[in-house]
Amino acid sequence: MGGAFVAAAVLARLGSRIGLPTIPLFILAGIMLGPNTPGFVLVDDAHDLEMLSALGLVLLLFYLGLEFHMDDLKSGGKRMALAGCGYLALNVGAGLAFGFALGWGTSEALVLAGVLGISSSAIVTKVLVDLGRIGNPETKPILGIIVVEDIFLALYLAALQPVLAGADGPTQALTQTGKAFAFLLVLAAAARWGTRFIGRLFSTKDNELLVISFLGAAVLVAGIAEEFGVADAIGAFMVGLMLGNTTSGERIRELVHPLRDAFAAIFFFAFGLSIDPGDLPSVLWPVMIAVCLTVVMNVLAGLLAARIYDFDAQPTANIASTLLARGEFALILATMAAAAGLDDRLSPFIAGYVLILAVIAPLAAGKSHWLARMLPNHREEPDEASAEPPKLVNH
């Protein structure tokens, strides 16, 4: 475990020098030091880190829940909902069509729809901060789309869980889905109307007690969620949603940061351990096609958002390139697919797809002005030296 942390840290520090995000580098560290790669093997079996990896996944989704507010969807109005739903329709729809075109199976196609359809909240946020675009006008629809994706994520995983669990017949599938949605509704009701009571339960000035309390709640509800057929990560997301709106929410966000970062690194590292680089050539062409399809769909989604918000070419390019990255949700689906015994090609496909887009997206976002030149309504800005002085008019 110590070697995993050190290896991930060293690669991440090297990657940060050229502006690469940490997620693909953590995965790369796992691939390089895993049992499927020649040379030194740090961990012989990915299952040795299974519990720590699961904790990393729980903390990732718990943090996303903390960042999400029920009022975010209301304040954005119709435009945010339209942009988010349009983005999902284009990308999830393309992913589903791509999955069926591959012919790997219906369950696999449903997994690929989610993999190709959902952006990486972690990478998107990091790109916005690193490029100093938090205050840009196009950042609001970008974050709005992320909010809509978070809502879709919870519902999608709840609906997908019975399918991956292999329900026997439509009756059992409907029963499992009903249990899952009922459990989610209970958690959603607690988040909506129980905030004051929950806030009093977690109210303490002692940081140590607060950490133990929220960590225990997140892991416990994640475990109970699994018993009801809901992905453990979504149970943790709902706990984060509840606690984020309490008076202790801001302190919890600060205290969970080091835990999230440490165990998320182990999650991505452990995922890399399970990847056999020898399998990547067998899925190279599907991966490249999927990457190109995602780029095209993101450009179309950017154009749609620009039309809704009346943006010019540069903000449109910023939206398309910033939302391009895929990350934690794709890896969640890969973990679920492997546990359900789906096609063995899914894991190397998702690994290759995430690695390529996680590297391309930050670089593309930084050079989005190149894309802006190719989009409609692009207006060349006059050089300061050649620009005519404004005419003064007396009224």
Side-chain angles (χ1 to χ4, degrees):
M1 180 179 167
F5 277 126
V6 171
V10 169
L11 271 184
R13 286 174 70 91
L14 292 174
S16 67
R17 295 179 182 273
I18 55 174
L20 292 181
T22 55
I23 289 175
L25 296 168
F26 292 156
I27 298 173
L28 183 61
I31 293 174
M32 291 171 57
L33 299 174
N36 301 310
T37 306
F40 176 71
V41 176
L42 180 65
V43 182
D44 290 315
D45 188 355
H47 293 292
D48 291 343
L49 298 177
E50 190 171 9
M51 182 59 72
L52 296 173
S53 175
L55 184 57
L57 184 57
V58 163
L59 288 172
L60 269 174
L61 269 292
F62 173 72
Y63 181 77
L64 282 181
L66 287 172
E67 290 294 322
F68 179 82
H69 295 281
M70 301 296 283
D71 294 336
D72 289 346
L73 191 58
K74 297 177 184 177
S75 63
K78 289 183 179 180
R79 294 197 297 179
M80 190 183 78
L82 282 173
C85 291
Y87 186 90
L88 287 171
L90 286 168
N91 286 273
V92 175
L96 186 63
F98 174 77
F100 280 120
L102 282 179
W104 290 356
T106 301
S107 296
E108 287 79 0
L110 291 171
V111 169
L112 288 172
V115 170
L116 271 67
I118 304 293
S119 306
S120 168
S121 300
I123 298 178
V124 167
T125 304
K126 191 173 189 302
V127 167
L128 290 172
V129 172
D130 290 350
L131 296 179
R133 293 180 181 170
I134 293 295
N136 284 16
E138 73 274 9
T139 297
K140 187 172 182 179
I142 288 173
L143 296 178
I145 290 171
I146 292 295
V147 168
V148 175
E149 284 184 327
D150 285 344
I151 297 171
F152 174 79
L153 181 152
L155 298 175
Y156 189 74
L157 284 184
L160 192 61
Q161 187 77 5
V163 176
L164 297 185
D168 298 326
T171 303
Q172 186 179 355
L174 285 173
T175 301
Q176 291 181 4
T177 304
K179 283 171 57 181
F181 277 111
F183 182 72
L184 280 176
L185 284 174
V186 170
L187 293 180
R192 177 64 180 85
W193 291 290
T195 304
R196 185 174 298 178
F197 174 72
I198 293 169
R200 285 201 296 266
L201 286 178
F202 284 82
S203 180
T204 175
K205 294 181 179 180
D206 190 320
N207 285 343
E208 180 184 11
L209 291 178
L210 186 58
V211 169
I212 293 171
S213 299
F214 73 69
L215 186 59
V219 176
L220 178 62
V221 174
I224 295 172
E226 278 196 322
E227 296 297 319
F228 280 88
V230 178
D232 54 358
I234 294 305
F237 174 85
M238 297 303 293
V239 175
L241 186 63
M242 296 178 206
L243 297 181
N245 292 308
T246 65
T247 54
S248 302
E250 191 58 41
R251 286 174 60 211
I252 293 173
R253 287 186 195 93
E254 294 177 5
L255 292 170
V256 79
H257 268 155
L259 292 169
R260 180 206 65 182
D261 293 342
F263 289 101
I266 292 295
F267 170 72
F268 295 124
F269 181 87
F271 182 78
L273 291 175
S274 65
I275 300 302
D276 186 350
D279 293 336
L280 294 178
S282 66
V283 294
L284 179 61
W285 284 112
V287 166
M288 298 310 296
I289 293 170
V291 168
C292 293
L293 181 63
T294 302
V295 171
V296 171
M297 289 299 109
N298 271 261
V299 171
L300 292 177
L303 289 170
L304 175 62
R307 190 173 185 85
I308 294 170
Y309 283 86
D310 195 25
F311 284 149
D312 196 6
Q314 186 57 58
T316 304
N318 289 346
I319 293 172
S321 57
T322 304
L323 290 168
L324 187 59
R326 300 296 185 263
E328 55 274 9
F329 182 55
L331 300 187
I332 291 169
L333 288 174
T335 304
M336 291 172 62
L342 300 187
D343 197 300
D344 291 338
R345 291 170 290 186
L346 271 178
S347 287
F349 170 87
I350 294 173
Y353 175 76
V354 168
L355 277 170
I356 291 174
L357 283 181
V359 172
I360 287 177
L363 300 177
K367 302 294 183 183
S368 60
H369 56 279
W370 292 351
L371 174 61
R373 294 194 185 105
M374 297 183 284
L375 295 177
N377 300 324
H378 175 66
R379 295 190 294 268
E380 292 289 344
E381 296 293 336
D383 294 331
E384 292 184 6
S386 61
E388 293 184 5
K391 296 179 181 179
L392 301 179
V393 180
N394 293 323
H395 293 280

